[in-house]
């Protein structure tokens, strides 16, 4: 039975990664999650920001409910200007390293429901100076080629403000690895959709957030709407387990299990909940690790200091090349994240001493 669940989890992750959902334009992802959640939901709410909040009645109730959350949005691009020869000048939506995007496919979605293909380009190498070849490219030097020959032709295809994302190219490879755009944080959304299929041990709001990549914006309003007593943030996080990187700078590593952070760039996680999750993983033989370096941030950065304070903890899958066209995760780590999230609800519902 467990193996069947894990296969469904991994397939759901792939399906969600293929959806279009840059920060501020999460509609396609939200609609898919809504349809998948409806058979199991006791209550569904949305807010003006676009967050989707699904309540699942548990076997017991707490004075304030439990919140499990993940974000629906992904990094992307936005059209800012058209050149006279039909190229698109753009900005990044969320944090993207310009070094990883040159030559990568982009898909824009227009208000008319059309998809416009493009490729990120830069000045040809034989036209650069020796100094330029030693420098990281700046976004002002990049453009998106959508196959047009003039500004007017480009304006017929796109409008200023149209969003794009990396093209979905989801591939399994190597020893149990998967590469895809948007693993951050569609894997978290998949975990939550799987969790809500069974009645949780305790009343739980499964909260799917918008605009995390643009500054943790959706999480702030969702927390005030739900007013949770405990929060688990399900995420993807930076792994730098690459050749020639010192161990203490690798942050975490793929194939080593779920990441339980005690601190990141935006949150000092609740010590009692961290210890509870650590002990729960040990008791259930769930592989886990923590971060060797303080890096990144999650929606907990807003949630833990909202209302009168929310006890918050996180679990994440380690991802190589995060915020790129081809993030890489180990399927075993995604499963470990799912099992850890299950353990969190079991421990909270079992009156864990936290």
């Amino acid at each position: 039975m467990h193996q069947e669940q894990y296969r469904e989890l991994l397939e759901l992750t792939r399906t969600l990664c293929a959806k279009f959902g840059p920060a501020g334009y999460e509609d396609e992802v939200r609609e898919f999650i809504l349809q998948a959640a409806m058979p199991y939901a006791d209550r569904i709410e949305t807010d003006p920001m676009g967050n989707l909040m699904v309540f699942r009645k548990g076997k017991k109730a707490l004075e304030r409910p439990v919140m499990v959350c993940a974000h629906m949005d992904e990094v992307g691009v936005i059209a800012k200007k058209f050149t006279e020869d039909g190229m698109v000048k753009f900005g990044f939506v969320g944090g993207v390293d310009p070094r990883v995007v040159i030559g990568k496919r982009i898909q824009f979605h227009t208000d008319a429901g059309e998809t416009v293909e493009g490729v990120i380009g830069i000045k040809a190498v034989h036209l650069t100076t020796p100094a330029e070849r030693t420098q990281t490219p700046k976004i002002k030097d990049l453009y998106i080629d959508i196959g047009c020959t003039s500004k007017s032709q480009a304006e017929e295809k796109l409008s200023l403000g149209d969003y794009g994302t990396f093209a979905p190219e989801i591939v399994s490879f190597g020893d149990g690895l998967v590469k895809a755009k948007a693993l951050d944080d569609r894997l978290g959304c998949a975990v939550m959709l799987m969790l809500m299929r069974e009645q949780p041990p305790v009343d739980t709001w499964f909260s799917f957030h918008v605009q995390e990549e643009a500054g943790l914006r959706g999480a702030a309003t969702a927390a005030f709407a739900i007013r949770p007593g405990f929060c688990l943030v399900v995420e993807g996080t930076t792994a730098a387990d690459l050749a020639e990187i010192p161990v203490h700078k690798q942050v975490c590593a793929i194939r080593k299990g779920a990441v339980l952070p005690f601190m990141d760039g935006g949150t000092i996680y609740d010590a009692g909940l961290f210890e509870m999750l650590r002990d729960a993983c040990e008791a259930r033989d769930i592989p886990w690790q923590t971060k060797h370096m303080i890096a990144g941030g999650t929606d907990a950065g807003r949630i833990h200091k909202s209302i009168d304070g929310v006890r918050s903890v996180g679990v994440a899958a380690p991802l190589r090349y995060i915020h790129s066209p081809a993030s890489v995760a180990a399927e075993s780590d995604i499963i470990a994240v799912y099992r850890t999230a299950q353990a969190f609800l079991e421990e909270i519902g079992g009156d864990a001493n936290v």
Side-chain angles (χ1 to χ4, degrees):
M1 181 62 177
H2 289 319
Q3 292 304 316
E4 182 180 340
Q5 287 179 325
Y6 299 157
R7 283 194 294 270
E8 288 185 56
L9 168 66
L10 297 172
E11 185 58 35
L12 192 54
T13 299
R14 290 180 174 87
T15 299
L16 281 162
C17 285
K19 301 297 180 185
F20 181 88
Y25 205 99
E26 300 90 349
D27 306 58
E28 184 177 308
V29 182
R30 181 172 50 249
E31 182 59 28
F32 177 87
I33 292 171
L34 175 62
Q35 295 303 316
M38 284 180 68
Y40 312 102
D42 293 296
R43 181 179 167 191
I44 295 177
E45 301 282 347
T46 57
D47 67 12
M49 287 288 291
N51 296 307
L52 175 65
M53 295 163 281
V54 181
F55 180 70
R56 190 77 164 89
K57 183 69 177 173
K59 296 176 182 177
K60 62 181 287 188
L62 300 179
E63 184 177 345
R64 285 167 59 173
V66 172
M67 177 184 191
V68 181
C69 65
H71 65 89
M72 297 181 286
D73 62 309
E74 62 187 294
V75 297
V77 299
I78 189 168
K80 294 175 63 176
K81 179 183 177 181
F82 302 116
T83 66
E84 292 302 321
D85 54 359
M87 300 295 180
V88 182
K89 302 298 287 185
F90 66 97
F92 288 124
V93 179
V96 181
D97 184 346
R99 295 177 304 166
V100 305
V101 303
I102 299 168
K104 304 304 181 183
R105 291 177 56 217
I106 292 290
Q107 287 184 346
F108 285 99
H109 281 205
T110 70
D111 288 339
E114 297 177 349
T115 298
V116 176
E117 295 279 349
V119 177
I120 295 181
I122 193 171
K123 182 168 61 175
V125 65
H126 66 276
L127 300 177
T128 59
T129 66
E132 287 175 326
R133 291 194 287 274
T134 64
Q135 298 172 353
T136 298
K138 296 180 174 58
I139 190 171
K140 68 180 181 63
D141 300 320
L142 305 177
Y143 56 84
I144 299 175
D145 184 346
I146 58 171
C148 295
T149 58
S150 67
K151 182 178 181 180
S152 61
Q153 191 179 37
E155 290 173 335
E156 291 177 0
K157 288 192 171 188
L158 290 180
S159 299
L160 297 182
D162 280 345
Y163 285 95
T165 65
F166 299 120
E169 296 169 346
I170 302 160
V171 179
S172 296
F173 74 109
D175 182 14
L177 301 184
V178 59
K179 57 181 178 180
K181 60 107 174 158
L183 280 165
D184 172 24
D185 185 29
R186 304 291 164 71
L187 72 89
C189 296
V191 164
M192 287 166 52
L193 283 173
M194 292 297 295
L195 284 175
M196 71 174 67
R197 292 185 178 187
E198 302 292 336
Q199 184 183 23
V202 64
D203 286 358
T204 304
W205 280 97
F206 296 95
S207 192
F208 301 86
H209 295 161
V210 297
Q211 298 188 41
E212 190 268 357
E213 301 294 3
L216 318 183
R217 297 174 183 178
T221 60
F224 276 93
I226 293 171
R227 302 186 64 81
F230 299 96
C231 177
L232 173 69
V233 180
V234 187
E235 261 282 13
T237 195
T238 303
D241 54 328
L242 305 172
E244 301 180 357
I245 302 295
V247 172
H248 70 282
K249 291 185 177 182
Q250 291 183 7
V251 186
C252 56
I254 66 171
R255 297 193 182 94
K256 290 190 176 181
V259 179
L260 307 182
F262 54 85
M263 180 180 179
D264 61 30
T267 309
I268 299 175
Y269 291 89
D270 184 280
L273 292 180
F274 171 83
E275 292 169 4
M276 181 197 78
L277 267 190
R278 178 200 61 200
D279 294 346
C281 287
E282 292 284 353
R284 293 164 174 81
D285 292 322
I286 302 171
W288 72 278
Q289 59 186 308
T290 193
K291 291 186 175 183
H292 300 296
M293 184 176 180
I294 304 303
T298 73
D299 275 337
R302 289 292 183 93
I303 294 168
H304 82 280
K305 56 188 178 184
S306 64
I307 323 165
D308 54 356
V310 178
R311 297 186 64 185
S312 301
V313 69
V315 60
L319 302 177
R320 290 177 181 162
Y321 327 121
I322 199 167
H323 290 190
S324 81
S327 295
V328 170
E331 293 178 342
S332 61
D333 292 335
I334 297 174
I335 292 168
V337 169
Y338 171 58
R339 294 181 62 202
T340 303
Q342 281 182 314
F344 170 82
L345 291 176
E346 290 167 1
E347 294 293 319
I348 294 294
D351 292 321
N353 185 22
V354 293

